[in-house]
Amino acid sequence: MSPHTSTGAELVPVDVHAHPQAKSARWSKIEQWIKHPWSTGRLRWQRHLLFRTVISTLLFTALALVAAGAFLSNQISSTLFDERVNQISKESERGLSQARSILESASTTDRASTQALVNSTLSALEGDGATVVRDFVLMPIACDQSLYVGPMASGSLTTRAIPADLSERVAGDQGIYWRSIELGAEDATQPGLIVGTKVLIPPGREYGLYLVYDLSSVQDTLEFINRAMAFTGLILLVVVGFVAWSVARTVVRPVADAAYVSERIASGDLDRRMKVAGKDEVARLGSAFNHMAHSLQEQITALNHLSAMQQRFVSDVSHELRTPLTTVRMAAEVIHDARENFDPLTARSAELMYNQIDRFQHLLNDLLEVSRFDAGVAVLDRESTDLNVIARKVIDIATPVADEYGSMIRLNAPSDGCVAEVDPRRVERVIRNLVLNAVEHGESKPIDITIGSNQNAVAITVRDYGIGMSEEACRHVFDRFWRADPARARTTGGSGLGLSISMEDTRLHDGRLEAWGKPGVGSVFRLTLPRSEEQEIVSSPLPLDPSVPESLASVVLGDSFPLTGEVPKIGYTPLILDLDLDEASPDDDVTDPSLGSGERKKEGES
């Protein structure tokens, strides 16, 4: 039982916090705090180490203070209550014993004298100068018509203030009993303590005499202590928060500066450095960071200088070689045209010289194009172009080479055309490189060219049924001078830069160039381009995995297939049909869905 209680050496010093943009950012953050406090607080918790450190410190400190305050309040209230109960017990026992002896030894025989005796005795009991305010209640144990003295109470008390269980205990025994109670009205109660015993009043009637003590002073003392502890805890929490903010800011601010400087260096501002002050661990970190930034700046500058020299060297050499190569080519053409008048060995040498000079010419052209890409000066000349026209032009160019290999080139294109805003010269070069590459590795099997489109993209796939590629080869096929089999000789005069240049041309269009292959099955190259400069590729209209036949994909307009990126993922199979295009023979007639019913493409037609 207890009374009611309440618990309660730098190049460019950087100071990001003084930057004018940081001030405007603070105002926007304050506005965000007002409009969206929860989302803003969660974002700051995730992104700001200083905020997370201070809030965590405040939370743990607050929990510790609440736990300590609750423990102290409970101990103080228990101590105060026990001390006051001991004091009241001694005082009430003395007063009740004295009153009982006076009343039990009284010899009054009439009602008036008995009432006067009781009044004087109870008045003395109420005003004995005790430090704790107390009132009394006198209540007969049994109702009787011959009572000299009726129920009595002092102050604002009535007999209803006596708990029933306490009155029963007093009526049953001669001892002194006590209990804590609530005094006052329901809306304004204060703790109290009631002590009672049984007395005899003439003419020999039993009464319950109770002393009621008001403990509101104890409650006031306890509330004052709780308020003092709460105020002290609040001040301590503010102090701890300020200390945590100061300490954390000392550590976090250099980290924030380092992050800001790193971002500036990454954006190209290589002269940015951290501000270093002092000789502590943070200062050593700043010095090490600046040293690293300086070293990176030197290396990047050296690499840029070396790259510029390489680009200039390639460009200069390519340009300088064009003039003597033109002269040599003219002489080689004259010798090549007159080779029939030479002996067989000299005639064969003339052919080899002519072919190698032609290959040298292609290599110079490719090197010049690569130097333009590396220098970042390659530009697009977009115009509305029908990809069907480009594909047929490429087929006309590649057909003589395909005839030498014994391959047939088949075109599968929509009959109403496929128009997109592209650079026709670059797209033609890409398709030509893909077709010639397929012819070289097609093992004299058919080469299928498929054209398709959807709402925002156009696509061209080139498939061969030759030696195929491994997954590793698909990842490197667009690297410069890369060859899957170094021992395999180039027979089409390629420079090893064709697919790499095709990839650069595709990137200029914001398109995708992807490869798929399986050894012994063949390979597929897919070129996906946006229909216009403003549009973005969402999906490709043609499949990369040939498990979905290209003929079906081009006929069913609106089908779209996921992009796999520049390094394709092998194995996407959206549809499996019982069609085996690998079995097609170069001598078989192949129906072109772009043609009318009854029309068929014959070998060599485009």
Side-chain angles (χ1 to χ4, degrees):
M1 293 176 291
S2 61
H4 294 273
T5 59
S6 58
T7 60
E10 61 277 6
L11 294 179
V12 181
V14 176
D15 187 0
V16 296
H17 301 279
H19 201 277
Q21 295 180 353
K23 295 181 179 179
S24 61
R26 289 195 195 100
W27 283 112
S28 62
K29 291 178 180 178
I30 293 174
E31 185 177 358
Q32 283 293 106
W33 266 112
I34 297 174
K35 293 182 179 179
H36 308 286
W38 172 251
S39 59
T40 306
R42 183 175 60 181
L43 183 62
R44 288 184 64 85
W45 177 271
Q46 295 173 348
R47 300 184 59 182
H48 295 277
L49 180 60
L50 177 61
F51 179 80
R52 190 162 62 246
T53 301
V54 174
I55 295 300
S56 300
T57 304
L58 289 178
L59 287 177
F60 286 118
T61 304
L63 290 176
L65 290 176
V66 169
F71 175 76
L72 291 176
S73 177
N74 182 67
Q75 293 296 317
I76 292 173
S77 62
S78 298
T79 302
L80 288 176
F81 182 75
D82 293 341
E83 180 182 355
R84 197 53 59 107
V85 167
N86 291 335
Q87 180 184 357
I88 291 173
S89 297
K90 294 177 181 180
E91 182 181 287
S92 60
E93 182 180 357
R94 183 172 61 252
L96 290 175
S97 298
Q98 182 180 2
R100 183 167 53 187
S101 63
I102 292 174
L103 295 175
E104 290 180 354
S105 61
S107 58
T108 57
T109 58
D110 55 53
R111 185 182 302 273
S113 59
T114 302
Q115 185 69 51
L117 176 64
V118 170
N119 290 339
S120 62
T121 302
L122 294 181
S123 297
L125 187 63
E126 179 185 12
D128 63 349
T131 57
V132 178
V133 177
R134 68 183 179 186
D135 292 313
F136 68 85
V137 177
L138 181 65
M139 184 175 65
I141 294 177
C143 294
D144 194 348
Q145 296 292 335
S146 61
L147 292 176
Y148 288 173
V149 179
M152 298 177 61
S154 65
S156 60
L157 297 176
T158 63
T159 57
R160 295 180 181 179
I162 308 304
D165 58 344
L166 181 60
S167 63
E168 290 177 0
R169 296 191 64 183
V170 169
D173 198 355
Q174 290 292 334
I176 299 176
Y177 304 97
W178 66 272
R179 181 184 170 183
S180 59
I181 61 173
E182 290 183 353
L183 301 176
E186 293 182 357
D187 56 346
T189 60
Q190 61 268 3
L193 194 68
I194 182 170
V195 183
T197 189
K198 183 169 62 176
V199 297
L200 292 175
I201 298 179
R205 298 293 185 266
E206 293 180 344
Y207 286 78
L209 179 58
Y210 303 93
L211 297 180
V212 181
Y213 294 84
D214 186 1
L215 300 182
S216 58
S217 61
V218 180
Q219 180 69 23
D220 294 339
T221 302
L222 185 59
E223 290 179 353
F224 174 77
I225 294 174
N226 289 336
R227 287 195 299 269
M229 288 193 301
F231 182 72
T232 304
L234 183 61
I235 294 178
L236 182 60
L237 193 64
V238 173
V239 172
V240 170
F242 177 76
V243 172
W245 177 80
S246 300
V247 175
R249 185 171 180 269
T250 303
V251 178
V252 172
R253 182 172 180 178
V255 177
D257 291 345
Y260 177 78
V261 174
S262 299
E263 293 173 355
R264 299 302 302 169
I265 291 177
S267 64
D269 189 1
L270 300 179
D271 291 331
R272 288 283 181 174
R273 296 293 183 271
M274 286 184 61
K275 185 177 181 180
V276 179
K279 298 181 180 180
D280 54 9
E281 292 82 357
V282 176
R284 291 200 299 271
L285 173 64
S287 299
F289 182 89
N290 290 340
H291 178 71
M292 179 189 66
H294 181 70
S295 177
L296 288 176
Q297 180 183 14
E298 291 182 344
Q299 295 181 24
I300 292 173
T301 303
L303 289 175
N304 289 337
H305 181 66
L306 178 61
S307 176
M309 290 181 60
Q310 289 177 334
Q311 295 174 15
R312 187 165 56 250
F313 174 77
V314 172
S315 178
D316 292 346
V317 168
S318 301
H319 279 288
E320 292 298 328
L321 287 177
R322 291 175 70 90
T323 300
L325 182 61
T326 302
T327 304
V328 174
R329 183 183 180 85
M330 293 173 59
E333 289 177 352
V334 172
I335 298 175
H336 183 266
D337 293 340
R339 67 184 182 280
E340 295 180 356
N341 300 325
F342 302 152
D343 59 86
L345 181 60
T346 306
R348 179 57 180 164
S349 299
E351 290 181 1
L352 291 177
M353 179 179 66
Y354 179 81
N355 292 334
Q356 292 302 316
I357 290 177
D358 184 65
R359 182 178 179 182
F360 193 13
Q361 181 71 46
H362 287 300
L363 177 59
L364 281 180
N365 293 334
D366 289 345
L367 288 175
L368 283 174
E369 193 65 26
V370 168
S371 66
R372 293 190 189 99
F373 286 126
D374 291 341
V377 297
V379 293
L380 289 178
D381 186 12
R382 292 181 182 268
E383 59 183 70
S384 294
T385 306
D386 188 353
L387 297 187
N388 291 0
V389 176
I390 297 179
R392 290 190 175 93
K393 184 177 180 181
V394 170
I395 291 175
D396 292 339
I397 297 174
T399 296
V401 180
D403 291 341
E404 293 180 6
Y405 278 86
S407 296
M408 177 181 62
I409 302 177
R410 306 182 293 196
L411 176 63
N412 185 3
S415 57
D416 55 350
C418 186
V419 179
E421 294 182 6
V422 297
D423 187 334
R425 180 181 66 86
R426 295 184 183 276
V427 173
E428 178 186 341
R429 179 165 59 191
V430 173
I431 299 175
R432 183 174 66 249
N433 287 334
L434 297 181
V435 172
L436 292 177
N437 180 76
V439 168
E440 181 178 357
H441 299 86
E443 300 291 320
S444 301
K445 295 181 181 180
I447 308 299
D448 290 331
I449 302 175
T450 305
I451 301 176
S453 63
N454 59 19
Q455 185 176 2
N456 51 25
V458 296
I460 301 176
T461 60
V462 178
R463 183 184 182 187
D464 65 75
Y465 303 89
I467 60 176
M469 293 186 296
S470 64
E471 186 175 354
E472 178 71 17
C474 290
R475 287 196 293 266
H476 298 285
V477 69
F478 300 109
D479 295 346
R480 295 178 183 178
F481 300 107
W482 186 86
R483 299 172 67 180
D485 184 6
R488 183 181 177 90
R490 300 187 187 275
T491 56
T492 60
S495 63
L497 295 172
L499 293 180
S500 176
I501 292 175
S502 299
M503 176 61 75
E504 297 295 340
D505 284 331
T506 305
R507 286 173 177 167
L508 283 178
H509 286 85
D510 293 327
R512 299 288 187 92
L513 182 58
E514 305 157 281
W516 177 95
K518 282 187 178 180
V521 176
S523 58
V524 179
F525 287 85
R526 180 176 68 180
L527 171 65
T528 307
L529 302 173
R531 277 188 171 273
S532 62
E533 186 177 2
E534 295 78 15
Q535 290 181 310
E536 183 179 354
I537 300 176
V538 178
S539 60
S540 179
L542 296 178
L544 180 62
D545 190 322
S547 298
V548 176
E550 292 87 340
S551 57
L552 179 64
S554 63
V555 173
V556 184
L557 298 178
D559 282 356
S560 53
F561 300 88
L563 295 170
T564 59
E566 295 174 359
V567 178
K569 295 180 180 177
I570 298 176
Y572 171 71
T573 309
L575 180 63
I576 303 295
L577 295 180
D578 243 347
L579 298 176
D580 191 359
L581 298 183
D582 294 350
E583 300 292 333
S585 170
D587 298 328
D588 296 338
D589 291 339
V590 181
T591 300
D592 188 350
S594 65
L595 301 177
S597 60
E599 293 184 283
R600 305 180 65 83
K601 293 181 68 67
K602 297 181 180 179
E603 181 178 358
E605 291 185 354
S606 59

